[in-house]
Structures are given as structure tokens and as C-alpha cells.
């Protein structure tokens, strides 16, 4: 068994999640807060247990502030497309944030690209190509978000995300 986090038990059952107490502690938002939401429905592999609370941001710009207003002791997990994500059957404690379209903006400014963590890397590559920017080395066979690619330093064709990233935020 892998080492345990000192504050988070290794195995959870949906009944173990104190979703009522957690929901009361979360800040008001225009997005959706869904307790005990099965994450298998969110992942490409269709496996895994529930999120204690799943947050799906609304279209309002204020939804982007939700993570900053969470209590410091609440664990946070962020997912994008979940194309390369395995979720344990015991679920994920705390708040799972599903990145939506408001986190997927792509902006070209001269020779540089700014892309949100939820932007699909293939869309970023296409925008770069259309603007005459070369050298991203993104595989067309693997769909992932920019945030996920940065987190795992994804690569293809002898290049990695770190080779093309200047200022990840």
C-alpha cells in the first residue's frame, strides 16, 4: 500500500464523505456544487469513485474566483479532459474542480500564445499554426488540456511542454 497522507485516509467510501458539512463551509458560487458525484462519468477510462464535492464553474467570470475563496483545509483536485487520469475506487476527498470552457481561452499576441489550463492542446497547436508560430511539437493522437500537459510535462516528437512554455501561471 502506498504511503498515507497524514491528514487524508487512503481509502474512502461515499458514505465516509461528510458532504453536508463540507457544502456548508464552501463559498457561494454561481457554478454547480455536486456532492458525491461519480468521477467515472468524467474520465475517459470510465473508472473511479466519487468526488466528495464536484465543482463545475458557471459561465460567470466570478466562478473563476471560487478556488481562491475555499477554506485552507479543504483538499482541492483540478481536472480537465481527464483523458490520462485514473481515479481510485475510494473517490477523491475535498473539492474536485472540473475545468470548463471559461478556462480554455487561447490568445495570440505576436509570436506568443496565452492559453488557459483548460484549453485543449490540439486547439492551441492549430491556433499557433494559423498564426505562423511553429515548434510546439504537440501530438495529434493524444487529447489533453494545457494544464494537464504542463503538470505531467507531456511530450511528443522529441519535445516536451517545458520546451515551449515560457511563463506557466
Amino acid at each position: 500500500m502506498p504511503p498515507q497522507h497524514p491528514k487524508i485516509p487512503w481509502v474512502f467510501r461515499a458514505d465516509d464523505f461528510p458532504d453536508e458539512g463540507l457544502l456548508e463551509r464552501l463559498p457561494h458560487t454561481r457554478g454547480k456544487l455536486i456532492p458525491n458525484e461519480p468521477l467515472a462519468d468524467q474520465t475517459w477510462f470510465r473508472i473511479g469513485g466519487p468526488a466528495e464535492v464536484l465543482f463545475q464553474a458557471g459561465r460567470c467570470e466570478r466562478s473563476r474566483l471560487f478556488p481562491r475563496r475555499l477554506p485552507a483545509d479543504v483538499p482541492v483536485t483540478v481536472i480537465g479532459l481527464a483523458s490520462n487520469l485514473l481515479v481510485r475506487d475510494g473517490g477523491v476527498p475535498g473539492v474536485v474542480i472540473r475545468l470548463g470552457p471559461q478556462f480554455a481561452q487561447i490568445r495570440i499576441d505576436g509570436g506568443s500564445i496565452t492559453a488557459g489550463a483548460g484549453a485543449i492542446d490540439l486547439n492551441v497547436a492549430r491556433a499557433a499554426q494559423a498564426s505562423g508560430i511553429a515548434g510546439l511539437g504537440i501530438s495529434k493522437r493524444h487529447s489533453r488540456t494545457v494544464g494537464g500537459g504542463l503538470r505531467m510535462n507531456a511530450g511528443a516528437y522529441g519535445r516536451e511542454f517545458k520546451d515551449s512554455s515560457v511563463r506557466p501561471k
Side-chain angles (χ1 to χ4, degrees):
M1 183 195 283
Q4 292 187 358
H5 184 282
K7 294 183 181 178
I8 302 174
W10 183 249
V11 177
F12 284 91
R13 296 182 314 267
D15 296 342
D16 292 336
F17 291 148
D19 59 81
E20 294 300 322
L22 178 58
L23 282 174
E24 291 172 6
R25 294 177 50 221
L26 297 179
H28 175 74
T29 179
R30 292 188 183 202
K32 286 185 183 178
L33 292 170
I34 309 166
N36 293 318
E37 177 69 9
L39 290 176
D41 297 341
Q42 308 287 329
T43 69
W44 284 26
F45 295 112
R46 301 286 181 232
I47 60 171
E52 185 171 3
V53 175
L54 177 68
F55 172 64
Q56 294 178 325
R59 299 209 179 264
C60 177
E61 190 67 25
R62 285 185 277 175
S63 291
R64 298 176 75 153
L65 301 176
F66 175 78
R68 294 180 188 158
R69 298 186 347 233
L70 286 172
D73 65 323
V74 174
V76 176
T77 303
V78 180
I79 63 174
L81 291 177
S83 59
N84 197 21
L85 179 67
L86 300 175
V87 177
R88 62 185 184 183
D89 291 338
V92 180
V95 176
V96 174
I97 298 173
R98 177 72 191 254
L99 297 179
Q102 63 276 45
F103 295 93
Q105 301 86 6
I106 301 168
R107 191 174 65 247
I108 307 287
D109 183 19
S112 87
I113 303 170
T114 301
I120 298 171
D121 62 0
L122 182 56
N123 293 343
V124 174
R126 287 180 176 156
Q129 183 180 24
S131 297
I133 301 171
L136 290 183
I138 293 174
S139 171
K140 294 181 182 177
R141 294 186 186 132
H142 305 287
S143 291
R144 65 186 145 246
T145 58
V146 168
L150 281 168
R151 176 72 174 110
M152 67 179 183
N153 194 28
Y157 308 115
R159 293 182 53 91
E160 299 171 323
F161 262 65
K162 69 173 178 57
D163 300 326
S164 301
S165 302
V166 179
R167 290 185 308 260
K169 295 180 188 178

